[in-house]
Amino acid sequence: MKTYTAAQMREAEAPFLAAGVPLMERASVALAGETAALLEERGGVPGARVLVLAGAGNNGGDALHAAALLAAQGARVAIVPTAARLYEGGLLAALAAGAALLPLDVTDAALAGAARASAVILDGILGTGTSASPALRGRAREVVAAILPVLHGDAVPRVIAVDLPSGIGVDDGAVPDPTVLPADLTVTFGGCKPGLLREPAANLTGRIVVADIGIGDELERIAARDRG
């Protein structure tokens, strides 16, 4: 599988974003479609509980717009914020479609209960814009730590990573802190990131689906240039 670095992804996306191409909406449609397909294996989308872990950046925006699409199809969506501010457009769309927003200070017990009752958890905390150290910090780490014990045992929720599991190195596959939700499925956008295939992060990615958001030709041009 071809891979592309975070820097190459940002460069490839830039002209499309400047031209107003709705890359986030394309990503969220793909994410919602993969989530719906997984839910169909568990009885269907209407009435299914989906827990969305949303960070402040574009990755959270992808997850929130997908949440709106799933809620519109009848899923019972709850949003767990991991930052004081979320991507506004995605949040408003999700709430308008019927999703519920949990308080930022929701208790660990309530988080665990919500996770246990869910069919799917969308991990949209961090994406390719992560800093030099991808380890989760602050509220984001607390949320993941509260949910991790739920993922052991029978009838556990399935975890879908949005672009990449939050807390792994996008380029090098580093996992500096074990507080990471292991994904059953990673829906990554535009192209596969190297870290998804490198140990130790490769043990946390599950099945990888590369969603086409329309930047493939530009991404390959950049990669060919970088290869010399």
Side-chain angles (χ1 to χ4, degrees), residues 1-212:
M1 185 181 293
K2 291 182 178 180
T3 61
Y4 307 91
T5 67
Q8 289 171 334
M9 292 297 304
R10 287 191 292 270
E11 185 178 351
E13 290 173 346
F16 292 92
L17 294 172
V21 177
L23 297 184
M24 181 175 288
E25 286 77 3
R26 293 178 181 180
S28 63
V29 167
L31 176 61
E34 293 293 338
T35 305
L38 191 153
L39 289 173
E40 288 296 339
E41 299 173 5
R42 296 194 147 200
V45 178
R49 292 183 179 271
V50 177
L51 192 65
V52 178
L53 313 183
N58 289 344
N59 213 48
D62 296 333
L64 290 168
H65 277 294
L69 296 171
L70 292 164
Q73 296 175 52
R76 300 171 67 181
V77 178
I79 299 164
V80 178
T82 63
R85 295 185 65 182
L86 300 181
Y87 192 94
E88 185 175 13
L91 178 60
L92 292 176
L95 295 178
L101 177 65
L102 301 185
L104 183 63
D105 61 352
V106 62
T107 66
D108 288 355
L111 276 174
R116 195 173 292 111
S118 298
V120 168
I121 298 172
L122 293 185
D123 170 12
I125 301 174
L126 295 178
T128 57
T130 308
S131 64
S133 175
L136 295 174
R137 299 173 179 81
R139 185 56 183 158
R141 190 180 188 280
E142 293 172 354
V143 166
V144 170
I147 292 173
L148 272 172
V150 176
L151 303 182
H152 303 285
D154 298 326
V156 299
R158 305 288 290 276
V159 175
I160 299 178
V162 181
D163 208 25
L164 71 162
S166 299
I168 75 164
V170 60
D171 290 335
D172 62 7
V175 184
D177 186 318
T179 310
V180 176
L181 291 179
D184 297 286
L185 169 67
T186 295
V187 182
T188 195
F189 308 124
C192 187
K193 287 71 181 176
L196 298 177
L197 304 180
R198 293 178 176 169
E199 302 293 348
N203 294 316
L204 299 167
T205 58
R207 181 168 64 91
I208 298 171
V209 171
V210 179
D212 181 9

